[in-house]
Amino acid sequence: MAAEEGLLSFIGDIYEASYRPGHWGTVLDRLCRLLGAKSGGIHVEDHASGKRYLLANHGLPRFAEATYRLGLSRHDPVYRIQAARPVAEAALVVRHDEQVAENPLYYRLIMKPNDLGYVAAISLFNDREWHAGIGVHRSFKAEPFGDRELQLLNVLAPHFQRALRIDKALQQATHRAASLQSVLSELMHGVVVLNGQDQVTYHNAAAERLLSRHAGLLMDGARLRTWYPRDAAALWAAVAGLRQGKARQQAVGLNHPDRPHPLIVLATLREDAPESLSGVYGEGEIVLYVSDPGRPFDACEEDLAGLFHFTRAESGVASALVNGLSVEQIAERHQVSRETVRTQLKSIFGKLGVSKQQDVVRLLLNSGLNRQAR
C-alpha cells in the first residue's frame, strides 16, 4: 500500500511539472531514486525549430546541457538506438562492455569519464513533430537495469507523455497569447476548483467530459462524489492535508467497477497553481487536476489526415485499430472487404514508417490528437 501511495505521489509530481516547468528537476531526482540510477535526463528534439535540448536532468555534469545546446549530442549513439525502438517501450540500450568495441570514441569521451556504465531509455514521442525521451544511467560498478526498472518506466510513460504535451501546450499558448479559457478547454487535464466549503466554484470543459465518461468522480450540483466510499475518504483526506500544510500537492486514484484504470486526481493549493490561471479561481482554495489514462482514442479524422496525410478512409481504419477492433470488425463496420482494410492498413504503415499494427496504436496514442467525446 505504501509503495502504491508513493507511486501515486510521484505521478502527482509529474503532472505538477506539466504546469510548473521548474519542477522537472524534482521529477528526475525522484525517478532516479525509484530506478536506482545515478543520473538521468529528459531530452527533447523539436523538429519544427531544429532545437535539441535537455528539458531536465539529475546528476549530469554541467557541461552536458551545454553539449546538447551545441548540437554535439547528435553523435551520442543512445539517440540512434532509442529512435529505432518502439515508442513507450523501455529497454537497456547501452552497456559499457559492448560500447568499448562498438563506439570506442563515445566510450572514451563520454561513458568512461562520467562513469556511465549502463543506460536505460524510453522514447515518449518520435514523430514528425518531435522526438522526446528519458534516459537513466548506472555506474560501471552497478548492476544493469533489470525487468522491474524497465517495467516501471513503461508504467510511467503515459503520464510523462501527457505531462509533456500539457507543458508544450501551455508554452505555445503563452507564445500565442491565447486566451485562458481556450487553453483550459484544450488541455487533456480536467480542472476543478473548490472553495473553503469544498464546493465546486469552477470546472473546465475537459473536466465535464472526463467525469461524464468515468464515474469514479461525479459532480452532484456544487458537490463532488466518488463511486467508492474509500476513494472519498482518500480524496478528502488529501484536501484536508493540503489545508493543514502537510503537503504542497497530493495525488489520489478514484476507481469505478466498469473502468480498468482509475482517474488520477492531483490536488494543489490555489497559491501553488499557475498564477496565469488565477482568473478562474474566484473564491477557490483547492485546485484539482483530473486525468483519465484509460480513455478511448477519439481523434478528429481531419486532424489525422492533416498530420499523417491519411485519406478519410485510412483515418477511420486507424482510429478503429487503436480502439481494439480487428481487421474483420473494421471491415464489417465500414462495409468493405477485409482485403480493402488490409490495403488501407498497408498504406497507413507506409505513411507512418512502421510495419506492425501495434506500432500504429502506439504512435496514435502518443500523438496528442486524442479528444474527448462531446
PDB file of all heavy atoms in Angstrom, residues 115-137:
ATOM      1  N   ASP A 115      31.429   7.894 -15.797  1.00  0.00           N
ATOM      2  CA  ASP A 115      31.011   6.672 -15.108  1.00  0.00           C
ATOM      3  C   ASP A 115      29.595   6.267 -15.515  1.00  0.00           C
ATOM      4  O   ASP A 115      28.745   5.956 -14.678  1.00  0.00           O
ATOM      5  CB  ASP A 115      31.101   6.872 -13.590  1.00  0.00           C
ATOM      6  CG  ASP A 115      30.940   5.553 -12.818  1.00  0.00           C
ATOM      7  OD1 ASP A 115      31.205   4.493 -13.420  1.00  0.00           O
ATOM      8  OD2 ASP A 115      30.530   5.599 -11.646  1.00  0.00           O
ATOM      9  N   LEU A 116      29.330   6.266 -16.824  1.00  0.00           N
ATOM     10  CA  LEU A 116      28.031   5.841 -17.349  1.00  0.00           C
ATOM     11  C   LEU A 116      28.172   4.411 -17.856  1.00  0.00           C
ATOM     12  O   LEU A 116      28.431   4.165 -19.032  1.00  0.00           O
ATOM     13  CB  LEU A 116      27.565   6.772 -18.474  1.00  0.00           C
ATOM     14  CG  LEU A 116      27.473   8.263 -18.138  1.00  0.00           C
ATOM     15  CD1 LEU A 116      26.956   9.048 -19.329  1.00  0.00           C
ATOM     16  CD2 LEU A 116      26.589   8.490 -16.921  1.00  0.00           C
ATOM     17  N   GLY A 117      28.007   3.463 -16.963  1.00  0.00           N
ATOM     18  CA  GLY A 117      28.223   2.068 -17.328  1.00  0.00           C
ATOM     19  C   GLY A 117      27.058   1.437 -18.063  1.00  0.00           C
ATOM     20  O   GLY A 117      27.253   0.597 -18.948  1.00  0.00           O
ATOM     21  N   TYR A 118      25.839   1.842 -17.692  1.00  0.00           N
ATOM     22  CA  TYR A 118      24.633   1.276 -18.299  1.00  0.00           C
ATOM     23  C   TYR A 118      23.614   2.394 -18.509  1.00  0.00           C
ATOM     24  O   TYR A 118      23.458   3.278 -17.667  1.00  0.00           O
ATOM     25  CB  TYR A 118      24.015   0.201 -17.402  1.00  0.00           C
ATOM     26  CG  TYR A 118      24.968  -0.923 -17.071  1.00  0.00           C
ATOM     27  CD1 TYR A 118      25.707  -0.902 -15.893  1.00  0.00           C
ATOM     28  CD2 TYR A 118      25.138  -1.998 -17.950  1.00  0.00           C
ATOM     29  CE1 TYR A 118      26.590  -1.923 -15.588  1.00  0.00           C
ATOM     30  CE2 TYR A 118      26.020  -3.021 -17.657  1.00  0.00           C
ATOM     31  CZ  TYR A 118      26.751  -2.979 -16.476  1.00  0.00           C
ATOM     32  OH  TYR A 118      27.626  -3.983 -16.193  1.00  0.00           O
ATOM     33  N   VAL A 119      22.919   2.342 -19.640  1.00  0.00           N
ATOM     34  CA  VAL A 119      21.897   3.336 -19.956  1.00  0.00           C
ATOM     35  C   VAL A 119      20.598   2.623 -20.307  1.00  0.00           C
ATOM     36  O   VAL A 119      20.568   1.776 -21.208  1.00  0.00           O
ATOM     37  CB  VAL A 119      22.318   4.245 -21.136  1.00  0.00           C
ATOM     38  CG1 VAL A 119      21.238   5.300 -21.396  1.00  0.00           C
ATOM     39  CG2 VAL A 119      23.656   4.919 -20.853  1.00  0.00           C
ATOM     40  N   ALA A 120      19.522   2.958 -19.578  1.00  0.00           N
ATOM     41  CA  ALA A 120      18.181   2.511 -19.938  1.00  0.00           C
ATOM     42  C   ALA A 120      17.435   3.714 -20.502  1.00  0.00           C
ATOM     43  O   ALA A 120      17.636   4.851 -20.047  1.00  0.00           O
ATOM     44  CB  ALA A 120      17.438   1.951 -18.721  1.00  0.00           C
ATOM     45  N   ALA A 121      16.588   3.483 -21.502  1.00  0.00           N
ATOM     46  CA  ALA A 121      15.926   4.615 -22.149  1.00  0.00           C
ATOM     47  C   ALA A 121      14.537   4.225 -22.629  1.00  0.00           C
ATOM     48  O   ALA A 121      14.232   3.046 -22.827  1.00  0.00           O
ATOM     49  CB  ALA A 121      16.766   5.113 -23.335  1.00  0.00           C
ATOM     50  N   ILE A 122      13.715   5.253 -22.805  1.00  0.00           N
ATOM     51  CA  ILE A 122      12.375   5.061 -23.360  1.00  0.00           C
ATOM     52  C   ILE A 122      12.008   6.293 -24.168  1.00  0.00           C
ATOM     53  O   ILE A 122      12.224   7.424 -23.736  1.00  0.00           O
ATOM     54  CB  ILE A 122      11.333   4.813 -22.242  1.00  0.00           C
ATOM     55  CG1 ILE A 122       9.971   4.454 -22.848  1.00  0.00           C
ATOM     56  CG2 ILE A 122      11.232   5.998 -21.290  1.00  0.00           C
ATOM     57  CD1 ILE A 122       8.982   3.912 -21.817  1.00  0.00           C
ATOM     58  N   SER A 123      11.519   6.082 -25.386  1.00  0.00           N
ATOM     59  CA  SER A 123      11.022   7.187 -26.207  1.00  0.00           C
ATOM     60  C   SER A 123       9.582   7.486 -25.796  1.00  0.00           C
ATOM     61  O   SER A 123       8.768   6.570 -25.653  1.00  0.00           O
ATOM     62  CB  SER A 123      11.048   6.828 -27.696  1.00  0.00           C
ATOM     63  OG  SER A 123      12.341   6.956 -28.218  1.00  0.00           O
ATOM     64  N   LEU A 124       9.287   8.767 -25.624  1.00  0.00           N
ATOM     65  CA  LEU A 124       7.930   9.196 -25.295  1.00  0.00           C
ATOM     66  C   LEU A 124       7.194   9.677 -26.537  1.00  0.00           C
ATOM     67  O   LEU A 124       5.984   9.490 -26.661  1.00  0.00           O
ATOM     68  CB  LEU A 124       7.975  10.302 -24.241  1.00  0.00           C
ATOM     69  CG  LEU A 124       8.664   9.902 -22.934  1.00  0.00           C
ATOM     70  CD1 LEU A 124       8.816  11.112 -22.016  1.00  0.00           C
ATOM     71  CD2 LEU A 124       7.911   8.791 -22.232  1.00  0.00           C
ATOM     72  N   PHE A 125       7.915  10.299 -27.444  1.00  0.00           N
ATOM     73  CA  PHE A 125       7.373  10.728 -28.728  1.00  0.00           C
ATOM     74  C   PHE A 125       8.464  10.540 -29.767  1.00  0.00           C
ATOM     75  O   PHE A 125       9.640  10.762 -29.487  1.00  0.00           O
ATOM     76  CB  PHE A 125       6.953  12.206 -28.717  1.00  0.00           C
ATOM     77  CG  PHE A 125       5.879  12.539 -27.725  1.00  0.00           C
ATOM     78  CD1 PHE A 125       6.201  13.060 -26.481  1.00  0.00           C
ATOM     79  CD2 PHE A 125       4.546  12.319 -28.024  1.00  0.00           C
ATOM     80  CE1 PHE A 125       5.226  13.354 -25.558  1.00  0.00           C
ATOM     81  CE2 PHE A 125       3.557  12.612 -27.108  1.00  0.00           C
ATOM     82  CZ  PHE A 125       3.891  13.133 -25.872  1.00  0.00           C
ATOM     83  N   ASN A 126       8.081  10.149 -30.965  1.00  0.00           N
ATOM     84  CA  ASN A 126       9.036  10.072 -32.069  1.00  0.00           C
ATOM     85  C   ASN A 126       8.240  10.161 -33.358  1.00  0.00           C
ATOM     86  O   ASN A 126       7.881   9.150 -33.959  1.00  0.00           O
ATOM     87  CB  ASN A 126       9.841   8.780 -32.007  1.00  0.00           C
ATOM     88  CG  ASN A 126      11.018   8.789 -32.976  1.00  0.00           C
ATOM     89  OD1 ASN A 126      11.312   9.824 -33.574  1.00  0.00           O
ATOM     90  ND2 ASN A 126      11.672   7.662 -33.131  1.00  0.00           N
ATOM     91  N   ASP A 127       7.924  11.391 -33.766  1.00  0.00           N
ATOM     92  CA  ASP A 127       7.080  11.605 -34.934  1.00  0.00           C
ATOM     93  C   ASP A 127       7.578  12.833 -35.687  1.00  0.00           C
ATOM     94  O   ASP A 127       8.688  13.321 -35.439  1.00  0.00           O
ATOM     95  CB  ASP A 127       5.606  11.763 -34.515  1.00  0.00           C
ATOM     96  CG  ASP A 127       5.421  12.805 -33.409  1.00  0.00           C
ATOM     97  OD1 ASP A 127       6.165  13.818 -33.412  1.00  0.00           O
ATOM     98  OD2 ASP A 127       4.540  12.619 -32.546  1.00  0.00           O
ATOM     99  N   ARG A 128       6.748  13.325 -36.592  1.00  0.00           N
ATOM    100  CA  ARG A 128       7.161  14.473 -37.408  1.00  0.00           C
ATOM    101  C   ARG A 128       7.357  15.733 -36.573  1.00  0.00           C
ATOM    102  O   ARG A 128       8.100  16.633 -36.947  1.00  0.00           O
ATOM    103  CB  ARG A 128       6.103  14.753 -38.493  1.00  0.00           C
ATOM    104  CG  ARG A 128       6.038  13.704 -39.588  1.00  0.00           C
ATOM    105  CD  ARG A 128       5.064  14.144 -40.673  1.00  0.00           C
ATOM    106  NE  ARG A 128       5.006  13.201 -41.771  1.00  0.00           N
ATOM    107  CZ  ARG A 128       4.139  12.208 -41.859  1.00  0.00           C
ATOM    108  NH1 ARG A 128       3.263  12.028 -40.882  1.00  0.00           N
ATOM    109  NH2 ARG A 128       4.148  11.385 -42.891  1.00  0.00           N
ATOM    110  N   GLU A 129       6.682  15.791 -35.442  1.00  0.00           N
ATOM    111  CA  GLU A 129       6.726  16.998 -34.620  1.00  0.00           C
ATOM    112  C   GLU A 129       7.956  17.057 -33.729  1.00  0.00           C
ATOM    113  O   GLU A 129       8.654  18.053 -33.671  1.00  0.00           O
ATOM    114  CB  GLU A 129       5.465  17.077 -33.760  1.00  0.00           C
ATOM    115  CG  GLU A 129       5.382  18.344 -32.917  1.00  0.00           C
ATOM    116  CD  GLU A 129       4.137  18.348 -32.048  1.00  0.00           C
ATOM    117  OE1 GLU A 129       3.319  17.406 -32.158  1.00  0.00           O
ATOM    118  OE2 GLU A 129       3.981  19.288 -31.250  1.00  0.00           O
ATOM    119  N   TRP A 130       8.234  15.944 -33.039  1.00  0.00           N
ATOM    120  CA  TRP A 130       9.350  15.958 -32.096  1.00  0.00           C
ATOM    121  C   TRP A 130       9.759  14.541 -31.716  1.00  0.00           C
ATOM    122  O   TRP A 130       9.044  13.580 -31.938  1.00  0.00           O
ATOM    123  CB  TRP A 130       9.019  16.781 -30.851  1.00  0.00           C
ATOM    124  CG  TRP A 130       7.782  16.348 -30.072  1.00  0.00           C
ATOM    125  CD1 TRP A 130       6.801  15.487 -30.483  1.00  0.00           C
ATOM    126  CD2 TRP A 130       7.402  16.769 -28.767  1.00  0.00           C
ATOM    127  NE1 TRP A 130       5.837  15.360 -29.509  1.00  0.00           N
ATOM    128  CE2 TRP A 130       6.174  16.138 -28.439  1.00  0.00           C
ATOM    129  CE3 TRP A 130       7.961  17.626 -27.821  1.00  0.00           C
ATOM    130  CZ2 TRP A 130       5.511  16.325 -27.232  1.00  0.00           C
ATOM    131  CZ3 TRP A 130       7.303  17.815 -26.616  1.00  0.00           C
ATOM    132  CH2 TRP A 130       6.104  17.183 -26.333  1.00  0.00           C
ATOM    133  N   HIS A 131      10.966  14.478 -31.157  1.00  0.00           N
ATOM    134  CA  HIS A 131      11.453  13.244 -30.545  1.00  0.00           C
ATOM    135  C   HIS A 131      11.786  13.598 -29.104  1.00  0.00           C
ATOM    136  O   HIS A 131      12.595  14.494 -28.848  1.00  0.00           O
ATOM    137  CB  HIS A 131      12.695  12.723 -31.263  1.00  0.00           C
ATOM    138  CG  HIS A 131      13.268  11.482 -30.638  1.00  0.00           C
ATOM    139  ND1 HIS A 131      14.602  11.163 -30.702  1.00  0.00           N
ATOM    140  CD2 HIS A 131      12.680  10.489 -29.920  1.00  0.00           C
ATOM    141  CE1 HIS A 131      14.818  10.029 -30.073  1.00  0.00           C
ATOM    142  NE2 HIS A 131      13.663   9.593 -29.587  1.00  0.00           N
ATOM    143  N   ALA A 132      11.139  12.929 -28.166  1.00  0.00           N
ATOM    144  CA  ALA A 132      11.393  13.186 -26.751  1.00  0.00           C
ATOM    145  C   ALA A 132      11.497  11.859 -26.032  1.00  0.00           C
ATOM    146  O   ALA A 132      10.817  10.888 -26.383  1.00  0.00           O
ATOM    147  CB  ALA A 132      10.262  14.033 -26.144  1.00  0.00           C
ATOM    148  N   GLY A 133      12.354  11.795 -25.039  1.00  0.00           N
ATOM    149  CA  GLY A 133      12.525  10.550 -24.317  1.00  0.00           C
ATOM    150  C   GLY A 133      13.256  10.745 -23.005  1.00  0.00           C
ATOM    151  O   GLY A 133      13.682  11.855 -22.663  1.00  0.00           O
ATOM    152  N   ILE A 134      13.375   9.667 -22.272  1.00  0.00           N
ATOM    153  CA  ILE A 134      14.048   9.662 -20.972  1.00  0.00           C
ATOM    154  C   ILE A 134      15.213   8.684 -21.040  1.00  0.00           C
ATOM    155  O   ILE A 134      15.073   7.579 -21.572  1.00  0.00           O
ATOM    156  CB  ILE A 134      13.093   9.219 -19.854  1.00  0.00           C
ATOM    157  CG1 ILE A 134      11.912  10.186 -19.743  1.00  0.00           C
ATOM    158  CG2 ILE A 134      13.820   9.132 -18.507  1.00  0.00           C
ATOM    159  CD1 ILE A 134      10.826   9.699 -18.799  1.00  0.00           C
ATOM    160  N   GLY A 135      16.347   9.081 -20.503  1.00  0.00           N
ATOM    161  CA  GLY A 135      17.492   8.197 -20.357  1.00  0.00           C
ATOM    162  C   GLY A 135      17.971   8.219 -18.912  1.00  0.00           C
ATOM    163  O   GLY A 135      18.028   9.289 -18.297  1.00  0.00           O
ATOM    164  N   VAL A 136      18.250   7.063 -18.347  1.00  0.00           N
ATOM    165  CA  VAL A 136      18.773   6.982 -16.980  1.00  0.00           C
ATOM    166  C   VAL A 136      20.038   6.128 -16.990  1.00  0.00           C
ATOM    167  O   VAL A 136      20.196   5.231 -17.831  1.00  0.00           O
ATOM    168  CB  VAL A 136      17.732   6.397 -16.002  1.00  0.00           C
ATOM    169  CG1 VAL A 136      16.601   7.381 -15.757  1.00  0.00           C
ATOM    170  CG2 VAL A 136      17.163   5.071 -16.519  1.00  0.00           C
ATOM    171  N   HIS A 137      20.938   6.395 -16.046  1.00  0.00           N
ATOM    172  CA  HIS A 137      22.280   5.822 -16.102  1.00  0.00           C
ATOM    173  C   HIS A 137      22.660   5.166 -14.782  1.00  0.00           C
ATOM    174  O   HIS A 137      22.273   5.646 -13.704  1.00  0.00           O
ATOM    175  CB  HIS A 137      23.306   6.914 -16.416  1.00  0.00           C
ATOM    176  CG  HIS A 137      22.832   7.912 -17.417  1.00  0.00           C
ATOM    177  ND1 HIS A 137      22.557   9.231 -17.090  1.00  0.00           N
ATOM    178  CD2 HIS A 137      22.517   7.780 -18.733  1.00  0.00           C
ATOM    179  CE1 HIS A 137      22.136   9.872 -18.174  1.00  0.00           C
ATOM    180  NE2 HIS A 137      22.097   9.014 -19.173  1.00  0.00           N
TER     181      HIS A 137
END
